[in-house]
Amino acid sequence: TAPVTASAAAVASVPPASAPWVPIPNAEDFFFRQVANFSLLIRALVFREYLDLVHVVSGSVQAAGAGNNYSLLLRAADRTNGAVGRYQTVVWGVPGSRDWTWKVVSFQRVADKN
Ligand SMILES: *[C@@H]1O[C@H](CO)[C@@H](O)[C@H](O)[C@H]1NC(C)=O
Ligand SMILES: *[C@@H]1O[C@H](CO)[C@@H](O)[C@H](O)[C@H]1NC(C)=O
């Protein structure tokens, strides 16, 4: 029965796929601006798209493995022409851990109004 026990333990360590998204009431907090800036930094490094954070509009958080997924709606200014757009990103990370353990799950521009 050892393999059954092992797989049961492995399954127990993975949160359910249906872990709820919990709205962030304080999306303007320093921590969420840091998370947003991390996403923009990766965007610059990988896609050479240079965006400066204007502010975090709203967000929600979901338990995911050892950390959390952060889904953030943000406004950012294109460094080449100053145009401000809205962007939606999902970032995974463990609060308090180093940058290299974080990762951008998704990033996309969204319509200016939604
Ligand atoms: C995020 O980036 C903006 C623009 O690059 C910068 O002004 C701000 O200090 C950064 N905020 C944090 C919390 O890192
Ligand atoms: C949450 O994070 C995990 C781990 O990075 C990722 O595989 C998954 O796609 C994320 N979930 C959502 C809904 O983005």
Side-chain angles (χ1 to χ4, degrees), residues 73-74 85-89 107-114:
L73 177 65
L74 51 98
R86 283 154 68 96
Y87 299 85
Q88 176 78 49
T89 187
F107 185 96
Q108 74 239 356
R109 183 159 189 172
V110 295
D112 285 343
K113 295 262 165 28
N114 68 359

Side-chain angles (χ1 to χ4, degrees), residues 11-96:
V11 167
S13 70
V14 176
S18 58
W21 284 101
V22 179
I24 296 166
N26 49 338
E28 278 290 353
D29 277 9
F30 182 81
F31 173 75
F32 299 114
R33 295 202 311 272
Q34 277 188 313
V35 173
N37 273 3
F38 171 76
S39 187
L40 296 178
L41 173 67
I42 298 303
R43 197 70 194 166
L45 290 175
V46 178
F47 295 96
R48 309 225 178 275
E49 183 182 8
Y50 299 95
L51 300 165
D52 287 322
L53 182 67
V54 176
H55 76 118
V56 181
V57 177
S58 61
S60 52
V61 58
Q62 173 194 55
N68 296 312
N69 286 337
Y70 298 93
S71 177
L72 301 178
L73 177 65
L74 51 98
R75 298 180 76 232
D78 190 320
R79 204 173 291 168
T80 58
N81 60 12
V84 174
R86 283 154 68 96
Y87 299 85
Q88 176 78 49
T89 187
V90 177
V91 178
W92 181 89
V94 181

